[in-house]
Amino acid sequence: MNFKRLALALCVTAACAQPTFAAETAAAAASQKPAAVKAVAQLSVTEAPFGKLPSGESTTLFTLTNANGVVVKATNYGGVITSMITPDKSGNMADIVLGFDNIDGYLKNKSYYGALIGRYGNRIGKAQFAIDGKTYNLDKNDSANHLHGGSKGFWAVLWDAKSFKTANSVGITLTHTSPDGDQGYPGNLKATVVYELTNNNEFTITYGATTDKPTHVNMTQHPYFNMVGKGSILNQELYINGSKYTPVDSGLIPTGELAPVAGTPFDFTKAHTIGQMIGQTNEQLKNGGGYDHNWVLNKKTADEWGLDARFSDPVSGRTLEVYSDEPGIQFYSGNFLEGKVEGKGVKFEYRGAICLEPQHYPDTPNKPKFPSTLLKPGEEYKSKIGFKFVAK
Ligand code: GLA
């Protein structure tokens, strides 16, 4: 039962001018309902205070619930997804996203937990790029490099948010204008991002943006997933639909090479546990401190919609499928988690979660051979990620 993209779709929100998933039949959706979750849940979206920012501004937590009892929670601060509560094959629910109960946890711990990443996901080497012969210097927030849009990137700003409800879905529309020069980027960038949870157990994120000067845009999402909800992820299984990856230097900047995964610990074309080869002696694993690399997805075009990755707990069967229309996916195996931070009653242990971030390749502005991230005035940036919650 794969996601399908429709060329023409019924749209209810601002950023919905682009294709979306086809609705599955009611029968197919019903067959997905875990046995133990009786139909007590109702499609709903609610709002609650989530705490104040140092500026005195209030943040809000939105709770999206579908008819199968699947819950996604997100806040307007950094577009952070704080929870995804999903079933296993027996219908037992677990929260598969590391996060915090209130805004203070996110203000104290700045590892992009659950966050909406922009303007640019992952690293830009030397925090610099040139457009039309002019060099732009970006915020250096990762040694000499620029990471995840800078220290005041999209993950660290308060978005305007409005909830919506349709016959088959609930969601929120987030809007934010990043001014010319923000974090060093050229152009006033108007961004709209739509989070939508459907009764088919799909959660989609639709990104849109326009600019008034040529600039680079590469938005993604940064939830830390653990398919049990706690503990190590080393015994959880991963599949990635990528036969190549982009090797990195010791600063995690791609070398520009597209290297085959076959015969290396980077081969996830057949699902296996993350722990199976992570301990091998391998220069790339050393550079990443584990997995912290971009996979080149097996797609015919850079914007083809398809299944990028599947992450599952082989014991309970709780599974996450990641879809996108992006050419790459960053798989980060939680190598910087140290077990010192705790949120929602869970210790964030070393390799206690992974991030799967569909995106264009890191450092594309400085790698002319990578699929381009340049956005010009008059063009519309469009990109979409789909998370599908299944039980196998
Ligand atoms: C990304 C990067 C990692 C790390 C995490 C956040 O996934 O690739 O190197 O910076 O974000 O800690």
Side-chain angles (χ1 to χ4, degrees):
M1 195 153 37
N2 282 339
F3 277 158
K4 281 192 199 112
R5 246 182 150 203
L6 281 186
L8 290 168
L10 256 187
C11 282
V12 288
T13 55
C16 241
Q18 59 173 320
T20 185
F21 293 128
E24 291 176 343
T25 61
S31 73
Q32 258 182 263
K33 256 183 219 168
V37 180
K38 302 281 181 253
V40 284
Q42 264 190 357
L43 189 64
S44 68
V45 48
T46 59
E47 296 179 26
F50 199 51
K52 282 205 162 111
L53 299 177
S55 61
E57 290 164 297
S58 300
T59 63
T60 303
L61 185 71
F62 294 83
T63 299
L64 314 177
T65 305
N66 79 3
N68 310 317
V70 168
V71 174
V72 176
K73 297 184 188 183
T75 168
N76 51 347
Y77 177 75
V80 167
I81 293 165
T82 65
S83 291
M84 289 183 183
I85 301 171
T86 73
D88 68 7
K89 64 185 176 206
S90 313
N92 298 316
M93 307 301 274
D95 189 346
I96 61 169
V97 170
L98 298 191
F100 303 96
D101 286 320
N102 56 50
I103 200 67
D104 298 340
Y106 294 96
L107 296 174
K108 246 186 260 154
N109 302 288
K110 301 188 186 249
S111 291
Y112 314 98
Y113 292 106
L116 199 176
I117 304 293
R119 298 185 184 190
Y120 197 98
N122 212 273
R123 292 177 177 77
I124 296 179
K126 299 195 173 76
Q128 218 175 50
F129 58 70
I131 300 175
D132 299 332
K134 185 169 172 3
T135 297
Y136 295 92
N137 292 300
L138 308 174
D139 181 35
K140 286 187 182 160
N141 62 331
D142 187 59
S143 315
N145 302 318
H146 176 79
L147 176 63
H148 291 328
S151 46
K152 261 288 181 186
F154 286 1
W155 62 279
V157 299
L158 191 62
W159 291 68
D160 286 328
K162 273 204 181 72
S163 62
F164 65 87
K165 188 170 179 206
T166 75
N168 187 47
S169 71
V170 280
I172 53 177
T173 302
L174 300 153
T175 50
H176 173 64
T177 298
S178 167
D180 188 15
D182 188 13
Q183 311 301 297
Y185 289 90
N188 289 293
L189 191 79
K190 285 190 183 165
T192 302
V193 182
V194 179
Y195 293 176
E196 186 168 15
L197 174 68
T198 73
N199 281 338
N200 303 318
N201 293 358
E202 301 153 357
F203 178 67
T204 59
I205 305 176
T206 308
Y207 305 88
T210 55
T211 182
D212 57 4
K213 279 185 193 166
T215 192
H216 285 284
V217 186
N218 184 21
M219 289 158 77
T220 188
Q221 211 70 26
H222 212 286
Y224 285 70
F225 295 111
N226 179 318
M227 299 314 291
V228 176
K230 56 177 187 249
S232 165
I233 46 73
L234 292 180
N235 291 324
Q236 298 180 22
E237 286 182 356
L238 183 66
Y239 159 81
I240 302 179
N241 178 31
S243 307
K244 290 183 182 156
Y245 74 113
T246 51
V248 290
D249 65 18
S250 57
L252 293 174
I253 303 297
T255 60
E257 190 198 350
L258 307 185
V261 297
T264 78
F266 291 81
D267 191 349
F268 284 89
T269 55
K270 287 202 181 77
H272 59 78
T273 62
I274 292 170
Q276 189 172 308
M277 291 183 269
I278 201 170
Q280 284 191 7
T281 306
N282 174 287
E283 201 202 341
Q284 283 301 316
L285 285 175
K286 195 172 155 213
N287 285 349
Y291 296 106
D292 195 351
H293 296 77
N294 166 70
W295 268 250
V296 174
L297 294 165
N298 296 330
K299 295 186 176 179
K300 283 186 217 86
T301 56
D303 63 353
E304 187 186 17
W305 178 259
L307 176 68
D308 298 347
R310 186 184 289 116
F311 183 39
S312 64
D313 167 28
V315 179
S316 71
R318 187 177 294 106
T319 300
L320 172 76
E321 292 183 343
V322 183
Y323 295 77
S324 82
D325 56 6
E326 290 288 345
I329 190 167
Q330 182 82 10
F331 160 38
Y332 163 63
S333 54
N335 314 309
F336 296 126
L337 300 178
E338 294 175 312
K340 290 185 188 150
V341 175
E342 206 177 301
K344 295 187 289 179
V346 173
K347 201 171 255 179
F348 300 178
E349 60 180 76
Y350 178 54
R351 295 180 177 158
I354 69 167
C355 300
L356 292 166
E357 307 152 65
Q359 57 184 27
H360 276 54
Y361 313 161
D363 202 32
T364 289
N366 298 308
K367 299 281 183 319
K369 288 195 178 146
F370 287 178
S372 175
T373 53
L374 191 67
L375 181 73
K376 294 185 188 145
E379 293 176 345
E380 215 176 314
Y381 172 85
K382 283 183 185 177
S383 146
K384 188 160 180 162
I385 294 176
F387 296 112
K388 189 168 171 89
F389 311 116
V390 292
K392 301 246 173 203

